[in-house]
Amino acid sequence: YWRVENYYRDKGTLPESLAACDISPATFVQQKRDRVTGEPYVYRVVDATHFEVGATFALPSAPDEGRWQRYGKIHFGPGEEAFWKHGAGRQTFRIDVAGKRR
């Protein structure tokens, strides 16, 4: 998601697709398809400052999934620790590039 946020910061608008992010190394999205199914990841612009990303998951997330280590601190997804937690099936996550995350 942060590549899309970089695009927004640089251009002042959300990209129309993940492929539109390929204009610079700071916004390039290398993985646009699920490595297992080959299906494209969900990306949808909701409005001027919100977008959704998603995929179809075979299994729900593990209890401690949704966070990662970075620079010696734990960083979570947008807004809260449980942001990236999901059930099985198609799941989408809404991100607000203007600051407030849901």
Side-chain angles (χ1 to χ4, degrees), residues 17 21 24 29 31 35 42-43 47 49 53 58-59 65 90 93-94:
S17 67
C21 290
S24 86
V29 177
Q31 195 67 38
R35 293 177 184 168
V42 173
Y43 172 80
D47 59 33
T49 61
V53 292
L59 300 170
E65 194 172 351
R90 183 182 166 129
F93 306 92
R94 184 174 288 195

Side-chain angles (χ1 to χ4, degrees), residues 65-66 76 80-86:
E65 194 172 351
F76 302 101
E80 61 185 63
E81 177 177 346
F83 182 81
W84 295 113
K85 289 190 178 203
H86 58 77

Side-chain angles (χ1 to χ4, degrees), residues 24-74:
S24 86
T27 61
F28 178 74
V29 177
Q30 182 174 358
Q31 195 67 38
K32 297 177 187 75
R33 294 182 169 275
D34 184 283
R35 293 177 184 168
V36 175
T37 66
E39 292 295 316
Y41 289 122
V42 173
Y43 172 80
R44 183 176 80 86
V45 174
V46 176
D47 59 33
T49 61
H50 295 84
F51 67 96
E52 291 180 340
V53 292
T56 301
F57 297 93
L59 300 170
S61 57
D64 64 347
E65 194 172 351
R67 62 183 179 162
W68 61 94
Q69 290 280 347
R70 187 172 181 183
Y71 307 119
K73 297 179 181 178
I74 293 180

